[in-house]
Amino acid sequence: MHVPFYLLLAIGLLGTFDVLYFHLWRGRLQERPECQREVLWHTARHLIYALQFLWVPHVRFQGWALGLLGVLYAADIFVALADVWEERDSRAFQGGVPRGEYFMHVVLSVLVGLYLMATFQAVWSDWLLPTGLRVDPPAVPVALRTLMTVMGVTALVVFVKDLARWLAFRRRPVATPLGQQSLQRIVVEVLIPAPVEVVWERTQDPELHTAWDVRFTSIRYLPEADERGFHLMDYRTRLGFGLEIVGWGRYLANTPHVRSTFEFGSEDWRSLILRGRGVWLYERRPQGTFFKTVFDYRARYGVVGEVLDALLFRPVMRLGTEWGFETLRQWCAGDELAPARGRSRWRFGLFVLARLLGRTPAPDAARSSPTSKPCGELVEVSS
């Protein structure tokens, strides 16, 4: 393990310079609201590398315990891809990633690739040994092992502090002027080549709604109605393997062919969404109908739920909404096979992967952005 050790040491030292100089001093990312999602990915990376800095100098995994390393390295690759994807939006204020930082990322990527290959070669034979952990330091100077151990402990401390700072920043009350949305809100829009009456019908009718929206398996009205005459709706999403998440929704106000506001939530413990609100906006245009949604929600399970939401669930929810809007656009444009393609989960999975790898929407396709232009509608989620 001495070769992976030296490669990881080089990655750690260069990564420390990258964080201190480019992230904290030059970019001041932790102070900028538009960079908070990228900051969270960096925070997750602190934990991933802290674990590597602590195991490489001291411990060897063997047998089925090597699966733990597989999970750790898979998480490292996922976080790296997500970080690259997020940088495109979060660094727009400074014209993109600076050249020096971009070069640093290229060097680090090469070193990480070499490190993963060297680690795989070093531990592959341990797969045949009895499952467990054993203390087996690599053949490197004790001083360097001590240095990497200190780096691991420091990275753990930084992870805890940065996570606390990120949570405090996210919960900080911000005076939001009318017409501006917070970074956490999901915003998706599309220009649909169809009359607003068609778009209204296919978004308001529950059966037609589920035809294009991959996020839901079924939507149906319940008998109960509030004082305004709006019926409570039952939302269900099948995850496979017999698992189904149940939620509810209801309209708050409807102005036909113009605007529809709604609230939603779930009492199902398997749902990360606790309660939320949103709006659908319809605007007649010469080319058809400009359709836009803005919505936000609170996650359950406290800090753990907030982190899972920011890292995984909310990005997938945003892309799921975008995928549905694009399916609706194609359907309203006359493609009768669009709903069947839109309901395909493996197609949706490929779409998410493509967006994570940096693919941008086509010029006329639906698009989403956490920093989209103001929509003239304020959406608040009550405590």
Side-chain angles (χ1 to χ4, degrees), residues 195-204 254-260 280-285 289-291:
V196 68
E197 291 80 6
V198 173
V199 179
W200 179 269
E201 179 187 19
R202 294 185 178 183
T203 54
Q204 296 289 321
N254 270 353
T255 303
H257 308 153
V258 176
R259 178 174 58 199
S260 178
W280 280 352
L281 302 171
Y282 306 76
E283 180 182 330
R284 294 181 187 271
R285 292 193 179 179
T289 303
F290 179 72
F291 182 45

Side-chain angles (χ1 to χ4, degrees), residues 1-13 52-58 73 114-115 118-119 122 137-149 151:
M1 283 294 293
H2 64 284
V3 174
F5 177 91
Y6 285 118
L7 287 170
L8 181 60
L9 183 61
I11 292 169
L13 295 175
Q52 295 180 62
F53 292 150
L54 292 174
W55 85 261
V56 169
H58 304 289
Y73 289 131
L114 293 173
Y115 163 66
T119 301
V140 299
V142 175
L144 293 183
R145 285 174 46 209
T146 303
L147 173 60
M148 186 173 288
T149 303
M151 290 169 61

Side-chain angles (χ1 to χ4, degrees), residues 47-319:
L47 177 61
I48 290 172
Y49 274 91
L51 297 176
Q52 295 180 62
F53 292 150
L54 292 174
W55 85 261
V56 169
H58 304 289
V59 178
R60 289 197 71 142
F61 291 71
Q62 59 188 38
W64 287 103
L66 285 172
L68 298 175
L69 292 186
V71 172
L72 182 63
Y73 289 131
D76 189 12
I77 294 172
F78 177 82
V79 169
L81 292 175
D83 186 24
V84 171
W85 178 41
E86 193 62 41
E87 284 176 344
R88 181 184 54 193
D89 293 330
S90 68
R91 304 298 189 92
F93 70 93
Q94 58 180 0
V97 177
R99 284 189 178 182
E101 185 178 359
Y102 182 80
F103 177 75
M104 177 68 73
H105 290 176
V106 172
V107 173
L108 284 169
S109 297
V110 173
L111 289 175
V112 169
L114 293 173
Y115 163 66
L116 291 176
M117 289 190 293
T119 301
F120 177 81
Q121 184 178 14
V123 305
W124 176 249
S125 59
D126 294 343
W127 183 263
L128 301 176
L129 299 175
T131 299
L133 306 177
R134 74 176 190 271
V135 177
D136 187 9
V140 299
V142 175
L144 293 183
R145 285 174 46 209
T146 303
L147 173 60
M148 186 173 288
T149 303
V150 171
M151 290 169 61
V153 174
T154 302
L156 276 179
V157 173
V158 172
F159 164 74
V160 173
K161 293 182 65 175
D162 283 358
L163 181 59
R165 184 186 296 113
W166 179 84
L167 289 171
F169 191 99
R170 190 169 186 267
R171 293 167 176 170
R172 185 177 65 182
V174 179
T176 307
L178 184 64
Q180 294 184 358
Q181 69 274 359
S182 71
L183 291 171
Q184 287 74 38
R185 291 175 188 155
I186 294 175
V187 182
V188 182
E189 58 189 35
V190 64
L191 182 60
I192 300 176
V196 68
E197 291 80 6
V198 173
V199 179
W200 179 269
E201 179 187 19
R202 294 185 178 183
T203 54
Q204 296 289 321
D205 183 287
E207 186 173 348
L208 297 179
H209 182 175
T210 54
W212 56 264
D213 199 335
V214 71
R215 297 172 301 170
F216 308 112
T217 305
S218 70
I219 305 174
R220 63 185 180 90
Y221 282 114
L222 298 177
E224 307 94 288
D226 60 21
E227 63 278 3
R228 294 161 296 182
F230 291 122
H231 286 264
L232 195 67
M233 289 179 285
D234 176 89
Y235 286 78
R236 295 176 183 263
T237 302
R238 295 194 188 97
L239 303 178
F241 306 103
L243 297 177
E244 183 179 64
I245 294 179
V246 179
W248 57 267
R250 65 170 178 168
Y251 291 113
L252 298 175
N254 270 353
T255 303
H257 308 153
V258 176
R259 178 174 58 199
S260 178
T261 58
F262 53 89
E263 66 177 351
F264 54 93
S266 176
E267 276 69 54
D268 192 332
W269 65 271
R270 293 166 295 190
S271 171
L272 197 60
I273 293 178
L274 186 61
R275 188 182 182 91
R277 285 189 177 185
V279 60
W280 280 352
L281 302 171
Y282 306 76
E283 180 182 330
R284 294 181 187 271
R285 292 193 179 179
Q287 306 94 327
T289 303
F290 179 72
F291 182 45
K292 183 170 186 172
T293 187
V294 183
F295 66 93
D296 197 6
Y297 57 84
R298 291 189 293 114
R300 55 168 36 95
Y301 301 125
V303 172
V304 174
E306 289 186 36
V307 173
L308 288 175
D309 177 53
L311 286 178
L312 297 174
F313 186 77
R314 191 170 293 252
V316 173
M317 178 65 73
R318 178 162 66 92
L319 291 176

Side-chain angles (χ1 to χ4, degrees), residues 284-360:
R284 294 181 187 271
R285 292 193 179 179
Q287 306 94 327
T289 303
F290 179 72
F291 182 45
K292 183 170 186 172
T293 187
V294 183
F295 66 93
D296 197 6
Y297 57 84
R298 291 189 293 114
R300 55 168 36 95
Y301 301 125
V303 172
V304 174
E306 289 186 36
V307 173
L308 288 175
D309 177 53
L311 286 178
L312 297 174
F313 186 77
R314 191 170 293 252
V316 173
M317 178 65 73
R318 178 162 66 92
L319 291 176
T321 307
E322 181 183 324
W323 174 264
F325 272 40
E326 176 60 15
T327 301
L328 176 64
R329 183 189 71 83
Q330 295 176 13
W331 186 24
C332 291
D335 186 353
E336 295 300 325
L337 298 179
R341 292 196 304 270
R343 299 297 309 175
S344 171
R345 299 215 173 163
W346 71 266
R347 290 178 184 271
F348 173 58
L350 291 177
F351 165 76
V352 171
L353 180 61
R355 291 300 305 275
L356 287 175
L357 294 176
R359 183 177 180 180
T360 58

